[in-house]
Amino acid sequence: MAIQLEDLTGEAGLKHLDDYLLSRSYICGYQASRDDLSVYLALAKAPSDKFVNVARWYDHITALLGASFPGKSAGVKIAGSAATSATTREIAAPAAAPPTPETAADDSAEAPAAEEDDDDDLDLFGEETEEDKAAAAEREAAKKASGKKKESGKSSVLLDVKPWDDETDMKKLEEAVRSVTAEGLFWGASKLVPVGYGIKKLQIMMTIEDDLVSPDNLIEDYLTAEPCNEFIQSCDIVAFNKICKN
């Protein structure tokens, strides 16, 4: 069954999409699809940060598209088209004018002189100096270091946080969750979801840097430990999706 979304050129449509993406990483399913590309192309520009879930999804799809086109971009601007925020686009340098008979004659006269200068500077049998050896060693070391260095990837995690009973103050429960801070941990949107018998659970999104934050350790050592366990009875991972790996 097709997913029905509102017009994405206005704030009402973006708000509808933001609510839709609250508990989803993609438009449909658990990995990027043509549906994500269709919605991405329907957006005239990058969404405002006030639409937290749309901005998160948009950045993720932008990263996936960038990974699909690894070549270095020179930039291009097309007449009559508005520039997008995803890529900085510049006008390429104009092509050189075709040579006239006069300029061709000048160029041919200057060419031999330039070739002679190049021959004077070129020393095919010169010995390698200590400075040359040191520079070559530095370049090799830098190449090896850059090959080993890898930046941490990121993941989007949706948590179910359950209270002890219907008398638990859910506002204080959320404050307790958000009070947990760590390098590489970023809390996102949240909402209360009815469970039954007057009890509600907190669903909250977080973004983590994989090398810095372990969701399991976060739950065991902080969210279900003192002082958070005064309000939190249990915490479960509902969805876990890789955002990107640079």
Side-chain angles (χ1 to χ4, degrees), residues 137-166:
E138 289 179 4
R139 288 194 297 271
E140 189 65 25
K143 189 183 296 184
K144 290 181 179 179
S146 64
K148 294 179 180 179
K149 183 179 178 183
K150 292 183 179 179
E151 295 185 9
S152 173
K154 293 182 179 180
S155 297
S156 175
V157 185
L158 181 64
L159 298 178
D160 261 0
V161 186
K162 298 175 184 177
W164 288 102
D165 51 39
D166 60 339

Side-chain angles (χ1 to χ4, degrees), residues 65-102:
L65 290 173
S68 300
F69 301 94
K72 185 176 180 181
S73 172
V76 64
K77 181 175 286 186
I78 302 171
S81 299
T84 65
S85 60
T87 308
T88 302
R89 297 175 177 169
E90 299 174 353
I91 300 176
T100 62
E102 292 80 5

Side-chain angles (χ1 to χ4, degrees), residues 193-214:
V193 179
V195 177
Y197 303 100
I199 300 175
K200 294 182 179 181
K201 65 181 178 181
L202 173 72
Q203 276 196 344
I204 186 166
M205 184 73 70
M206 68 176 180
T207 301
I208 59 171
E209 294 185 20
D210 297 333
D211 290 351
L212 300 177
V213 179
S214 165

Side-chain angles (χ1 to χ4, degrees), residues 113-123:
E115 290 176 359
E116 289 178 5
D117 291 341
D118 290 342
D119 290 341
D120 291 339
D121 295 337
L122 184 63
D123 185 4

Side-chain angles (χ1 to χ4, degrees), residues 31-55:
Q31 58 183 356
S33 68
R34 292 180 181 272
D35 292 336
D36 293 276
L37 183 60
S38 297
V39 177
Y40 183 89
L41 295 175
L43 295 170
K45 60 182 180 179
S48 168
D49 289 340
K50 72 178 182 179
F51 301 110
V52 177
N53 303 305
V54 180

Side-chain angles (χ1 to χ4, degrees):
M1 182 176 179
I3 298 166
Q4 183 65 43
L5 297 176
E6 296 183 17
D7 182 6
L8 298 178
T9 59
E11 292 213 354
L14 288 173
K15 178 64 170 62
H16 179 253
L17 179 60
D18 195 65
D19 292 339
Y20 178 81
L21 289 171
L22 176 61
S23 59
R24 296 175 175 86
S25 295
Y26 302 100
I27 298 299
C28 179
Y30 297 98
Q31 58 183 356
S33 68
R34 292 180 181 272
D35 292 336
D36 293 276
L37 183 60
S38 297
V39 177
Y40 183 89
L41 295 175
L43 295 170
K45 60 182 180 179
S48 168
D49 289 340
K50 72 178 182 179
F51 301 110
V52 177
N53 303 305
V54 180
R56 165 182 56 77
W57 168 85
Y58 187 91
D59 291 342
H60 180 33
I61 300 303
T62 299
L64 291 178
L65 290 173
S68 300
F69 301 94
K72 185 176 180 181
S73 172
V76 64
K77 181 175 286 186
I78 302 171
S81 299
T84 65
S85 60
T87 308
T88 302
R89 297 175 177 169
E90 299 174 353
I91 300 176
T100 62
E102 292 80 5
T103 58
D106 293 341
D107 291 342
S108 61
E110 292 174 359
E115 290 176 359
E116 289 178 5
D117 291 341
D118 290 342
D119 290 341
D120 291 339
D121 295 337
L122 184 63
D123 185 4
L124 295 175
F125 301 99
E127 294 184 359
E128 187 177 25
T129 65
E130 291 298 322
E131 290 81 0
D132 294 335
K133 292 179 180 178
E138 289 179 4
R139 288 194 297 271
E140 189 65 25
K143 189 183 296 184
K144 290 181 179 179
S146 64
K148 294 179 180 179
K149 183 179 178 183
K150 292 183 179 179
E151 295 185 9
S152 173
K154 293 182 179 180
S155 297
S156 175
V157 185
L158 181 64
L159 298 178
D160 261 0
V161 186
K162 298 175 184 177
W164 288 102
D165 51 39
D166 60 339
E167 295 182 357
T168 301
D169 189 328
M170 296 303 292
K171 184 177 180 181
K172 291 184 178 180
L173 181 145
E174 181 171 354
E175 290 175 354
V177 171
R178 292 184 182 274
S179 70
V180 177
T181 58
E183 183 181 0
L185 169 63
F186 309 95
W187 294 109
S190 65
K191 67 177 181 178
L192 295 178
V193 179
V195 177
Y197 303 100
I199 300 175
K200 294 182 179 181
K201 65 181 178 181
L202 173 72
Q203 276 196 344
I204 186 166
M205 184 73 70
M206 68 176 180
T207 301
I208 59 171
E209 294 185 20
D210 297 333
D211 290 351
L212 300 177
V213 179
S214 165
D216 292 332
N217 291 345
L218 182 73
I219 293 172
E220 183 178 348
D221 298 339
Y222 296 96
L223 294 177
T224 56
E226 293 184 353
C228 292
N229 64 359
E230 179 182 352
F231 306 100
I232 299 172
Q233 185 266 334
S234 65
C235 183
D236 300 305
I237 297 174
V238 179
F240 191 109
N241 295 286
K242 290 284 186 181
I243 295 178
C244 62
K245 191 169 185 178
N246 297 325

